Amino acid sequence: MPLEEGSWFLDAGFQRLPPPLQGEIFQVKPDASTGMMVLSGSSGRVDVARARLFASQGATVIALRWFGGEGQVPGICEVPLETFFSATDFLVGLGCKRIVLVGTSKGAEAALLTAVYDPRINAVVAISPSSVVWGNIGPGFDGISWPERSSWTLRGTPLPFVSSDPEWVREYRDGLVAYRGLFERCLDMHESEIDAAAIPLERTNAEILLVAGCDDALWPSDEFAASIVRRRAGFGLSTQLVLGEHAGHRILLPGETTPRSSLHAHGGSDEADTELGRLAWEHILTVL
């Protein structure tokens, strides 16, 4: 049945989010009880294809732009976690009873942090996640990328993060920079910073599903995921983990054709990334 004129939604389609939120919202069922937020990584992409995929399962889905938009910080530098709280406000205001976040890479970092500090989050699907907070990627509002700052703030205060290593010598794979070694080196160099920067997922009651490829060339998401599982297990909390031995950073859910980056190595292969996405999808449907 067509929705009323002036609604935020179109049948099986989308509308822009109302300001100050940025992105697009998809809804097939106007009375959906599950609200979802899809957070892409450092590409800054508004992940319309993935949002449509989840909307096809009956959820109301926001494909959120959380940096790089009008009036937003241009890089992933001191991004307010309140950005994600506001999107949850909107979904709850639509009548959504269950809130699920789906984040990839830096978007997974954001999703996990949001679940820690917003008790309304019921579940997180963290794809190619981090277990700690990292420094900025790109500039803040001042246009300055260095000195390094946190990726995130909460109530105006930057969150502790693991420092980078400006002396790191670039490593290459298939002609592209492979950053995995940088992140592993930073964890070794700045071990004293890890405890403060760790995402305290023992503080959330949200269901956590982690998906990672063991051949991730961008950062060691498989090691990060294992660290999250160990940390939560220490508090008696269970965590779902889906690993792909040959998959890389870019994990493809059913029907997705997201291109590889031309700027850095992802690892994996089209076949392995697709297979892990297919396996993960079975678990994601259970979460939904």
Side-chain angles (χ1 to χ4, degrees):
M1 179 171 59
L3 299 177
E4 294 180 5
E5 184 178 358
S7 166
W8 287 113
F9 313 110
L10 299 174
D11 282 342
F14 73 93
Q15 285 282 14
R16 296 287 187 267
L17 283 166
L21 297 174
Q22 296 186 39
E24 297 174 358
I25 185 163
F26 295 78
Q27 187 184 61
V28 176
K29 293 172 58 180
D31 57 349
S33 62
T34 297
M36 300 186 67
M37 201 185 310
V38 172
L39 309 175
S40 62
S42 57
S43 69
R45 179 176 68 252
V46 177
D47 204 337
V48 167
R50 184 163 288 181
R52 281 201 176 105
L53 175 63
F54 288 117
S56 73
Q57 299 302 310
T60 294
V61 188
I62 291 175
L64 190 69
R65 183 185 299 282
W66 51 274
F67 77 97
E70 184 178 353
Q72 294 179 329
V73 62
I76 306 177
C77 182
E78 298 186 343
V79 175
L81 291 182
E82 288 81 1
T83 303
F84 311 106
F85 303 163
S86 294
T88 299
D89 290 340
F90 182 69
L91 289 170
V92 170
L94 293 175
C96 297
K97 306 299 184 185
R98 179 172 171 81
I99 306 298
V100 180
L101 307 187
V102 180
T104 298
S105 193
K106 289 297 286 188
E109 191 178 321
L112 292 169
L113 285 165
T114 301
V116 169
Y117 296 108
D118 189 339
R120 299 171 297 175
I121 307 305
N122 298 102
V124 175
V125 179
I127 300 172
S128 302
S130 174
S131 57
V132 299
V133 172
W134 292 97
N136 59 300
I137 299 175
F141 281 115
D142 55 9
I144 298 173
S145 296
W146 195 264
E148 194 175 26
R149 288 167 285 181
S150 181
S151 292
W152 320 102
T153 65
L154 179 64
R155 293 187 289 275
T157 300
L159 298 186
F161 64 96
V162 176
S163 303
S164 186
D165 174 21
E167 303 300 322
W168 178 68
V169 178
R170 290 189 171 194
E171 302 168 3
Y172 291 86
R173 179 168 169 175
D174 300 326
L176 297 173
V177 180
Y179 285 99
R180 182 181 181 117
L182 169 62
F183 289 99
E184 291 175 332
R185 176 177 170 81
C186 291
L187 291 174
D188 289 338
M189 284 183 61
H190 306 295
E191 186 175 0
S192 63
E193 298 175 351
I194 293 176
D195 284 347
I199 301 174
L201 284 162
E202 68 277 6
R203 300 183 189 174
T204 180
N205 291 321
E207 181 179 357
I208 304 296
L209 170 60
L210 308 171
V211 184
C214 298
D215 192 38
D216 191 334
L218 195 147
W219 66 10
S221 59
D222 54 326
E223 296 176 12
F224 291 150
S227 176
I228 291 171
V229 171
R230 289 193 300 270
R231 182 184 183 101
R232 283 172 55 83
F235 290 88
L237 300 170
S238 63
T239 309
Q240 295 186 74
L241 172 58
V242 183
L243 288 175
E245 182 179 359
H246 303 294
H249 191 78
R250 179 203 59 159
I251 297 166
L252 299 174
L253 298 181
E256 292 184 340
T257 58
T258 308
R260 289 178 173 272
S261 171
S262 61
L263 302 176
H264 50 253
H266 278 158
S269 66
D270 290 349
E271 295 75 17
D273 299 347
T274 299
E275 174 58 23
L276 178 54
R278 184 198 63 75
L279 180 61
W281 184 244
E282 299 174 9
H283 294 268
I284 292 169
L285 289 179
T286 300
V287 171
L288 295 184

